[in-house]
Amino acid sequence: MTISNDPSTFGTPVPPGAEAWVALTERPLPCAQAQEWVVHPECGAVATFTGIVRNHNNGREGITHIDYESYPGHAERVLGDIAALCREYWPAVRRIAVLHRTGRVLTGQASVICCVSAPHRHEAIEAMTFCIDVLKASAPLWKTEHARGGTAWPDNGTPIRSVRDAADAWWDDRGVWPAMAADQAGS
Amino acid sequence: MTTLRLFGRARSAAGVAEDVIEADDLGELLRTAEERYGREFADVAECCVVWVNGEHVSTTRTTPLRPGDEVALLPPVAGG
């Protein structure tokens, strides 16, 4: 699978032939561009999750912004591994975009976007859900919340897992094997 | 010498994002770091996953280190 993770592609077309677009950036996420990029003639469905910084978390109110921190190099690698594994489980998926912010993100701004295109909606939705769920368990990313009352590390982080372990846990939670899920999606 | 990379709470507790420590194994590196950065850091380190050169390692303190290795302490993650 050809993966583009070159931040210089922001604002310009992703290289022809790329099947996944993964990136971290300190700039506002190109959400519209990502959703347009995954569109493919063979695909009748595009599923998108956009994560937005909200003004509350775990009882903490008045959050004004979040600072995102990554393990440079490795975070991008993990996003690429997630996209590659997603295509293993859902071979009909054509394009995957997984973009995540770093640095300061204001309340109301997008912190992450996952877009997946597939021939049918079930596999597009399931593959997109897989991508964001596994990202949250396996990507070396951290956030500091800033609110009117001060700064805090959120308490709802999760111990980091490998992409494979996070994927296995994802399937375990559903109680199905990947092949069974693929059959269901295709029916 | 081993490069120690710290993130999130671990970085905050230590007051540095990166350090260089001479250690033959993971246990020696963590002991040195805990002595250098103090109790709060030691508490945070207990909750961290350890990567060596980008790969997860079990937290066994006998894991050998070679010159040039990069050890990262990863607190619970919170992407998305």
Side-chain angles (χ1 to χ4, degrees):
Chain A
M1 180 175 65
T2 304
I3 294 176
S4 170
N5 58 7
D6 180 0
S8 68
T9 58
F10 278 64
T12 61
V14 179
E19 293 168 321
W21 179 17
V22 301
L24 298 180
T25 178
E26 291 192 344
R27 297 160 59 180
L29 293 180
C31 295
Q33 187 184 352
Q35 291 184 83
E36 288 169 13
W37 180 78
V38 299
V39 171
H40 189 279
E42 295 175 5
C43 296
V46 170
T48 299
F49 170 79
T50 308
I52 306 291
V53 172
R54 62 176 181 261
N55 65 1
H56 64 96
N57 185 35
N58 269 6
R60 196 154 184 267
E61 304 290 335
I63 293 172
T64 55
H65 60 279
I66 288 177
D67 285 324
Y68 283 91
E69 173 184 1
S70 73
Y71 189 174
H74 296 289
E76 295 90 330
R77 173 178 56 81
V78 166
L79 299 188
D81 289 347
I82 293 169
L85 196 53
C86 177
R87 288 182 61 84
E88 271 186 39
Y89 290 140
W90 292 275
V93 161
R94 290 303 304 233
R95 285 184 167 177
I96 303 167
V98 183
L99 314 176
H100 202 294
R101 282 288 302 272
T102 57
R104 181 152 299 184
V105 186
L106 303 179
T107 300
Q109 290 185 331
S111 58
V112 61
I113 184 166
C114 294
C115 306
V116 174
S117 60
H120 305 288
R121 70 182 185 281
H122 290 302
E123 55 205 349
I125 292 168
E126 195 164 36
M128 176 275 293
T129 304
F130 171 88
C131 287
I132 184 61
D133 287 349
V134 174
L135 179 156
K136 290 178 81 73
S138 64
L141 294 159
W142 299 270
K143 56 187 171 189
T144 317
E145 292 173 351
H146 299 268
R148 288 188 292 272
T151 297
W153 301 99
D155 294 326
N156 47 353
T158 184
I160 191 168
R161 294 173 162 180
S162 70
V163 171
R164 181 65 71 174
D165 286 349
D168 288 347
W170 192 87
W171 289 109
D172 284 346
D173 286 346
R174 277 154 183 77
V176 295
W177 295 98
M180 291 169 56
D183 288 345
Q184 290 166 8
S187 63
Chain B
M1 302 294 269
T2 300
T3 299
L4 177 64
R5 302 285 302 272
L6 302 171
F7 300 94
R9 284 177 195 259
R11 173 183 53 72
S12 177
V16 296
E18 186 173 324
D19 206 347
V20 177
I21 294 176
E22 187 162 355
D24 291 329
D25 59 37
L26 194 52
E28 184 180 1
L29 179 132
L30 293 174
R31 276 194 306 278
T32 302
E34 288 165 7
E35 289 167 7
R36 194 172 288 183
Y37 308 132
R39 181 71 201 176
E40 183 189 349
F41 171 81
D43 290 343
V44 174
E46 286 286 317
C47 303
C48 288
V49 169
V50 180
W51 282 7
V52 177
N53 300 325
E55 299 290 333
H56 173 86
V57 297
S58 64
T59 51
T60 172
R61 294 194 166 218
T62 56
T63 301
L65 296 174
R66 295 169 299 179
D69 279 347
E70 179 173 289
V71 173
L73 290 193
L74 310 181
V77 292

